[in-house]
Amino acid sequence: MSMINYASREINCKIVYYGPGLGGKTTNLEHVYQKVSPNTRGKLISLATESERTLFFDFLPVDLGTIRGFKTRFHLYTVPGQVYYNASRKLILKGVDGIVFVADSQVDRMEANQEAMQNLYDNMAEYGYDLTRMPFVVQYNKRDLPNAAPLAELQAALNPGWEVTEAPRQRNTPDVFHAGEYLVQQIATGEWVERAPYFEAVAVTGEGVFDTLKGVSKLVLKSLS
Amino acid sequence: MPFGATSWSFTESDYTAIAQVLQRFLFESNARCALIVDRSGQLITTAGDRPTFDVTAFATLTAADFSANDQLARLIGERDFNTLFHQGERESMLLADVGRRVILVVLFDNRTTLGMVRLKMKTTVDELARLFERMFTRPSTTPAPGNPLLGDVDDEIDRLFQ
């Protein structure tokens, strides 16, 4: 639930990194934490188990800059990856403004990715949020691993797109992040579909981490305007 | 049905109205400091002694604390716990739900008692609930007086990411 605070001239937004266990959600936040100037970020709070698995959430506040004199402050959260922590996963989604789904590209994690994606849709629906109508991006992490699945396979399994029924939106919409690709397009069956923007990443080295964050933050700010 | 979480705005006059309610409460209860946090973990405002800790982290953990306790309440067959109390050696905190929208957090020390804070909190919560009800039901497209909405700012948004 974004809050525009005219008294302190701040826009506060909440972004949640969601995905299967050990997929790199916390690593994304840690990279942002390390690279952003200490003046523009707060503390990285981790509620984790002794073995460093996220128990409740990780949290990092980041200031991105000023728009029309308003400081834009993003609160970045991760959720626990393991399904048995679903109660706490769901709590973190409360009031979310933008979602990053961090998928693990490894072939043998495909099932875990799909299970987490389904769980995300279910938890969002329980709050009455429609994931297809809000800022949502997919990050394919661990692209450097030899057993990483091809991008097309991951897209087909995790981001196949949803039908676009409103006529005004049924037009080719270029994917600004990937030249020559479209976010909304007509498929062979004649149906118009929209996919979430996607990003490739290697979170341990930081590759793609900021592109993903920029992608989702931009969508969130544009959804406010 | 909303597509996602709705946005809401907090104006100067909201700030003044809430500050007045909180100041009166702090005066009457002798508590040290009051904070208002929204249910998604964002700090809205503070009153009284200026907190010396990280208020952003504090707000996030407060909302998480409240949400976790809501679920605990449901597990034992309660709708929610509308107040939570954490007692420390020197400092204690009392948290109260305000109209299921925001959380009032009160920090107090041995200059007052839990009973006194709780007693004075009751009317404060009612007053705040009325104020927040008005804020949240206000059409979100109405710009605050004298302030433009975020319209036509694509360029500025793009510049943030250069």
Side-chain angles (χ1 to χ4, degrees):
Chain A
M1 180 164 47
S2 50
M3 178 181 66
I4 303 178
N5 192 331
Y6 288 95
S8 59
R9 298 196 77 75
E10 276 183 2
I11 298 171
N12 287 290
C13 305
K14 178 172 184 174
I15 292 177
V16 174
Y17 285 70
Y18 210 92
L22 298 173
K25 301 177 291 296
T26 302
T27 312
N28 264 272
L29 252 64
E30 284 171 347
H31 183 77
V32 174
Y33 179 78
Q34 282 160 14
K35 291 292 169 190
V36 165
S37 146
N39 307 327
T40 58
R41 58 144 166 88
K43 273 193 202 127
L44 176 64
I45 304 274
S46 267
L47 302 188
T49 64
E50 282 173 14
S51 54
E52 295 192 356
R53 302 298 299 274
T54 307
L55 175 67
F56 199 168
F57 61 84
D58 304 304
F59 166 72
L60 176 66
V62 187
D63 291 337
L64 282 186
T66 308
I67 295 183
R68 291 260 169 101
F70 283 81
K71 200 190 265 185
T72 55
R73 171 168 281 186
F74 281 81
H75 290 182
L76 313 182
Y77 288 78
T78 68
V79 298
Q82 296 99 314
V83 176
Y84 52 83
Y85 287 132
N86 192 44
S88 47
R89 268 179 165 192
K90 207 178 123 188
L91 294 180
I92 302 307
L93 289 176
K94 199 181 181 84
V96 65
D97 298 301
I99 302 262
V100 176
F101 184 90
V102 181
D104 188 329
S105 293
Q106 298 179 90
V107 173
D108 55 358
R109 297 296 287 159
M110 195 64 101
E111 208 175 307
N113 287 328
Q114 285 175 311
E115 190 183 6
M117 185 66 93
Q118 185 58 50
N119 174 260
L120 169 63
Y121 273 90
D122 293 346
N123 281 339
M124 292 294 276
E126 280 188 45
Y127 279 121
Y129 303 157
D130 182 353
L131 196 57
T132 67
R133 305 298 296 266
M134 60 184 290
F136 173 44
V137 305
V138 179
Q139 181 190 73
Y140 297 115
N141 190 24
K142 309 193 188 182
R143 294 307 295 155
D144 59 328
L145 294 185
N147 58 341
L151 195 61
E153 224 168 86
L154 288 162
Q155 279 280 80
L158 300 171
N159 192 16
W162 49 86
E163 196 184 349
V164 177
T165 48
E166 303 100 316
R169 297 184 62 233
Q170 291 179 337
R171 56 189 166 83
N172 284 332
T173 310
D175 179 351
V176 290
F177 306 107
H178 303 93
E181 295 183 30
Y182 293 93
L183 290 176
V184 178
Q185 67 182 150
Q186 197 168 22
I187 54 174
T189 56
E191 209 181 332
W192 284 88
V193 293
E194 177 175 12
R195 291 185 186 86
Y198 72 89
F199 299 89
E200 293 183 83
V202 182
V204 281
T205 63
E207 202 183 316
V209 167
F210 277 96
D211 291 340
T212 311
L213 176 60
K214 284 175 193 171
V216 72
S217 322
K218 222 166 169 175
L219 291 176
V220 169
L221 289 173
K222 287 192 172 166
S223 73
L224 291 176
S225 61
Chain B
M1 186 177 85
F3 297 141
T6 48
S7 71
W8 64 288
S9 57
F10 184 70
T11 65
E12 285 285 352
S13 60
D14 297 330
Y15 171 79
T16 312
I18 287 167
Q20 276 173 356
V21 172
L22 293 180
Q23 292 296 354
R24 193 169 55 239
F25 162 70
L26 290 175
F27 177 75
E28 289 175 352
S29 67
N30 222 11
R32 234 168 39 74
C33 169
L35 301 94
I36 305 257
V37 175
D38 90 347
R39 285 282 190 143
S40 67
Q42 291 161 0
L43 178 72
I44 298 171
T45 190
T46 69
D49 293 0
R50 189 178 287 271
T52 51
F53 48 82
D54 179 345
V55 284
T56 309
F58 184 88
T60 302
L61 293 169
T62 298
D65 183 20
F66 228 89
S67 296
N69 275 287
D70 263 357
Q71 297 300 313
L72 288 174
R74 277 176 212 165
L75 286 178
I76 63 160
E78 285 291 320
R79 187 170 161 263
D80 54 28
F81 296 131
N82 55 18
T83 56
L84 302 175
F85 175 52
H86 299 306
Q87 183 169 21
E89 243 174 67
R90 292 182 307 276
E91 295 269 346
S92 297
M93 52 193 262
L94 186 61
L95 301 90
D97 170 71
V98 178
R100 312 277 311 152
R101 297 182 188 280
V102 297
I103 301 160
L104 167 65
V105 187
V106 182
L107 299 179
F108 62 96
D109 55 21
N110 57 12
R111 284 175 294 179
T112 185
T113 62
L114 171 62
M116 176 61 92
V117 175
R118 201 190 281 269
L119 179 74
K120 298 294 177 189
M121 197 184 222
K122 270 198 165 142
T123 47
T124 306
V125 165
D126 290 343
E127 287 176 53
L128 290 173
R130 276 194 297 276
L131 290 173
F132 278 101
E133 180 64 32
R134 221 170 47 210
M135 263 179 254
F136 278 89
T137 48
R138 186 165 58 199
S140 59
T141 48
T142 310
N147 286 293
L149 272 179
L150 277 182
D152 299 326
V153 290
D154 278 16
D155 287 357
E156 282 191 60
I157 293 174
D158 287 335
R159 259 201 305 279
L160 277 186
F161 298 104
Q162 275 167 9

